Amino acid sequence: MENTKKELLSLTKEELEELLLSIGEPRYRAGQIFPQLHKGLSPEEMTNIGKTTRAKLAEVATYYLPRVKRKLVSAIDGTVKYLFELSDGHAVESVVMHYDHGTTICISSQVGCAMGCKFCASTIGGKVRNLTPAELLGQVIAAAKDSGERIDGIVMMGIGEPLDNFDNVLRFLTLVNAEGGVNIGYRHISLSTCGLVPQIDKLATYKLPITLSISLHAADDETRDTIMPVNRAYPVAELLSACLRYYKTTGRRISFEYTLIAGKNDSREQAAKLALVLNRALRTRTETMPIHVNLIPVNEVEETGFKRAGAQAIKQFAATLEKNGIRATVRRRLGSDINASCGQLRREDLKQNS
Ligand code: SAH
């Protein structure tokens, strides 16, 4: 009956109540157990829960926290990168970053990724599987437990495409926001997508006040097709229409990510085109969405051959956007000495073990 056991960290407090009732325990036990699970304690470690209750719980449910397989700490800025091992031996990465406004964790949403973006290390071996809600939440809990730090915000920008794991990600958002648990406000959560239009529309219907980020990386289909296969299914115009619908439905502005690759998408003309396309799509007669573009010099991944845009090109790109009414910032590179960008540690680990 092993495979019918529930993962305790995937359950809402109400579902935990139901589970406890089903094994003859009082409902109020959930109030004792739920907060401890979310602090990183397994039922066996809960001193205020009786032995028989713990044994009954172990018969119907499992508790697994991602195990720290490797941990790298940046000597430059204290950024911590974890390679977490999951219960089936697969590994994903999470990164803890320190900002003036608090501590943010970047988590993975899948083991590998099916999206195939040409510059990205996470997608090289394809997608292995989705992470469960417990594994999504487990990264946050395990990192907080290991570091002893309070986590203030979450970005879903690690390995994987979160909207390709829609239901589990949605459940995770509810769980991480839950009172008595980690309790992180939706406004402190960002979700990044390469642009799966139907799922963006679906997400909008939940009206969660999270921040949606779109990985755009090119404003014309010709360029975007060559670096992001998803563009052939959902080209730029369709994607930006979905962004406007999302904004209208949720009232939440969207931020755009633009990875600068030398000679590929970093010219002055491409910056002007980006500004034009964004302004046209998102600043209509009836709606004017504030637009912000994050410029990210590409992290060079051995297998891809792409090179970072030069400092001058980056400056010029940002200036061209600003001149055309688009706010742009160049992302600070945290943890540059530990290869903190996602997917690279897992790849290294896979190579070593193959
Ligand atoms: N699948 C989601 C989230 C994970 S990737 C998405 O595509 O948004 C998080 C961000 O890192 C995305 O903007 C992605 O395009 C970017 N990224 C991936 N590889 C990169 C690299 N080598 N250098 C810089 N940014 C990269």
Side-chain angles (χ1 to χ4, degrees), residues 106-107 109-110 113 115 117 119-122 156-163 191-195 213-217 228 257-261 296-301 304 306 331 341-342 344:
C106 174
I107 64 165
S109 56
Q110 299 176 315
C113 183
M115 297 298 123
C117 298
F119 43 82
C120 181
S122 302
M156 303 199 73
M157 287 192 181
I159 297 170
E161 166 52 48
L163 295 187
L191 185 154
S192 180
T193 178
C194 63
S213 287
I214 303 289
S215 299
L216 198 55
H217 307 325
M228 299 181 73
E257 313 283 313
Y258 197 101
T259 293
L260 286 160
I261 307 167
I296 314 154
V298 78
N299 280 298
E300 295 176 4
V301 174
T304 69
F306 288 129
R331 167 105 30 100
S341 44
C342 277
Q344 305 197 38

Side-chain angles (χ1 to χ4, degrees), residues 2-13:
E2 195 68 26
N3 57 3
T4 61
K5 285 188 182 181
K6 301 232 192 300
E7 286 183 286
L8 287 170
L9 280 179
S10 281
L11 303 181
T12 62
K13 179 144 169 263

Side-chain angles (χ1 to χ4, degrees), residues 81-138:
K81 177 152 190 163
Y82 291 102
L83 184 70
F84 279 127
E85 188 178 65
L86 307 172
S87 57
D88 62 358
H90 286 301
V92 291
E93 296 172 33
S94 315
V95 182
V96 176
M97 298 161 289
H98 304 98
Y99 297 98
D100 294 340
H101 55 82
T103 298
T104 295
I105 185 168
C106 174
I107 64 165
S108 296
S109 56
Q110 299 176 315
V111 179
C113 183
M115 297 298 123
C117 298
K118 298 287 186 253
F119 43 82
C120 181
S122 302
T123 197
I124 293 170
K127 173 174 132 180
V128 178
R129 68 170 176 85
N130 285 330
L131 296 189
T132 65
E135 290 168 334
L136 293 162
L137 180 63

Side-chain angles (χ1 to χ4, degrees), residues 237 240-245 247-248 275-291:
L240 294 180
S241 299
C243 290
L244 187 63
R245 289 195 295 277
Y247 177 65
K248 281 186 185 170
L276 181 75
V277 165
L278 289 175
N279 280 325
R280 272 207 191 134
L282 304 172
R283 290 171 169 163
T284 65
R285 226 169 284 148
T286 52
E287 300 285 342
T288 46
M289 188 178 108
I291 306 174

